[in-house]
Amino acid sequence: MDTQPHTRLRSENRRCKIAILSRGDAASRREATPQNSRFVRVFEALAASGIAAVPVVYDETFADAVRDQLLTMDGVLVWVDPIHQGKTRAALDPLLREVAAAGPWVSAHPDVILKMGVKDVLYRTRHLGWGADTHRYATVDAFRAEFRSRLRAGGPRVLKQNRGNGGQGVWKVETVPKTDATIRVLHALRGSQPEEMPLADFMARCEQYFGWGGCIIDQAFQPRLPEGMIRCYVSAAKVAGFGHQLIKALIPPPPQGPDSPEAQPGPRIMHGPDAPQFQALRRLMEDEWIPQMMAALTIDETSLPVIWDADFLYGPRDADGADTYVLCEINASSCFAIPDEAPAAIAQTVRDRIGRNMASVR
């Protein structure tokens, strides 16, 4: 009988090679090492678990070389934003599907990202406890037919393109009193200022989002936004930490202007998974919302990303005065920076995945 399964797994892991994939140019690809990588703590945690990891830098101009390199790996951990300096993942995602079909496991797999790492997840899981007043416009015609009346029926709305990051394609939209066709909009992109314009002009501006992204998601604006956003970091199905930040996106800039120090977001304060102030949210995530999300999206636990995060705003207080939480985004493509406790959680999840893969081929 093997009385030291962890030692045996650790020995087997040494024969495995994991790629950590990120975007960069040819120079950064040539010069990449675990030590000069922004993921150095992840490399260190993997090494401490007996897992060899190498940095792999991706760009469309040398995609074939990246594909060949990834095909020599046992697994690939991906940190690439949906949009970066005008570039999307339109070429990367098919490459990763090809690699995964050939044998290496990929996290997060592009098909999993399309289920949980896009704004459409807000609509598909709106019935969960983290849900809010949420609608989806699947076509330009539906957007033209439905948004105008929805905006005028209630308070401010927040429109979100399906795939994006850094506030790109996220807009607060509200009516202007005593006008019929003018609205006030504010882009979530840093440095933006409120604009007043005809509703028809704004809707025409948004039609581009039906291209690569495929739809627009429409949520009610959360008035407790100035109290900050809670980022819940998760490895597979277990919470790995929290971050709390006083964000400024969708809040009008101060008189000093959108580029002033007063307009910048506060620092994201990181906390471990046991932080007392977030235990109610942790229990909701681990015991209810993550299992319910998996069922709603048909994702099994072994397919969940090795690191992802769910961003929450504070919702209305309940009858007892306790906080509620409204999901505003899930990041599964490129979740970084991460709490100090997260690299060890990532390494444990990777080790578990490797163990399962080895068991499946015995």
Side-chain angles (χ1 to χ4, degrees), residues 13-145:
N13 285 344
R14 288 198 181 97
R15 297 197 297 272
C16 295
K17 186 181 291 186
I18 303 297
I20 292 184
L21 180 71
S22 59
R23 183 180 279 283
D25 59 18
S28 61
R29 177 172 170 81
R30 289 192 303 268
E31 299 164 5
T33 68
Q35 292 72 34
N36 67 19
S37 170
R38 64 179 179 141
F39 308 108
V40 59
R41 292 186 297 120
V42 179
F43 281 105
E44 291 171 350
L46 290 169
S49 294
I51 302 168
V54 297
V56 177
V57 174
Y58 166 83
D59 187 77
E60 289 79 0
T61 57
F62 43 81
D64 290 344
V66 172
R67 178 192 297 105
D68 292 344
Q69 186 176 9
L70 296 183
L71 288 171
T72 69
M73 303 290 168
D74 298 288
V76 184
L77 308 184
V78 185
W79 270 276
V80 178
D81 282 326
I83 302 174
H84 177 76
Q85 296 180 355
K87 296 182 178 181
T88 71
R89 290 179 50 133
L92 175 62
D93 286 347
L95 184 155
L96 292 174
R97 290 188 180 95
E98 178 184 343
V99 169
W105 57 270
V106 173
S107 185
H109 191 286
D111 293 345
V112 174
I113 292 174
L114 286 177
K115 290 183 176 182
M116 62 180 289
V118 293
K119 305 301 189 299
D120 190 38
V121 71
L122 303 173
Y123 180 79
R124 297 185 64 188
T125 65
R126 66 194 185 284
H127 59 287
L128 304 188
W130 65 26
D133 173 14
T134 305
H135 303 271
R136 175 176 57 194
Y137 307 114
T139 66
V140 171
D141 289 344
F143 182 48
R144 289 173 177 167

Side-chain angles (χ1 to χ4, degrees), residues 139-151:
T139 66
V140 171
D141 289 344
F143 182 48
R144 289 173 177 167
E146 300 170 24
F147 179 62
R148 185 184 302 269
S149 59
R150 186 161 289 130
L151 175 63

Side-chain angles (χ1 to χ4, degrees), residues 209-341:
Y209 301 145
F210 292 97
W212 181 55
C215 68
I216 290 178
I217 300 301
D218 173 2
Q219 283 189 306
F221 177 77
Q222 298 300 317
R224 294 182 67 187
L225 175 66
E227 296 179 46
M229 182 184 74
I230 302 170
R231 177 161 286 181
C232 180
Y233 297 89
V234 186
S235 185
K238 296 297 182 183
V239 171
F242 298 92
H244 182 258
Q245 184 178 28
L246 297 178
I247 60 176
K248 297 299 178 72
L250 303 186
I251 297 175
Q256 294 89 338
D259 298 321
S260 66
E262 293 81 1
Q264 305 314 305
R268 181 176 293 123
I269 307 301
M270 296 295 196
H271 304 269
D274 298 322
Q277 65 269 44
F278 300 121
Q279 290 312 291
L281 179 56
R282 180 182 182 181
R283 293 274 65 83
L284 286 168
M285 284 288 285
E286 292 184 345
D287 298 344
E288 298 182 30
W289 294 343
I290 294 175
Q292 291 168 355
M293 178 197 72
M294 291 166 57
L297 304 180
T298 62
I299 300 174
D300 60 80
E301 185 171 337
T302 59
S303 297
L304 288 171
V306 298
I307 189 67
W308 56 282
D309 71 66
D311 291 349
F312 292 97
L313 300 178
Y314 289 105
R317 297 185 187 276
D318 65 18
D320 298 322
D323 288 322
T324 64
Y325 305 95
V326 174
L327 182 70
C328 64
E329 184 175 42
I330 288 179
N331 298 298
S333 300
S334 184
C335 178
F336 202 81
I338 54 178
D340 290 341
E341 293 81 0

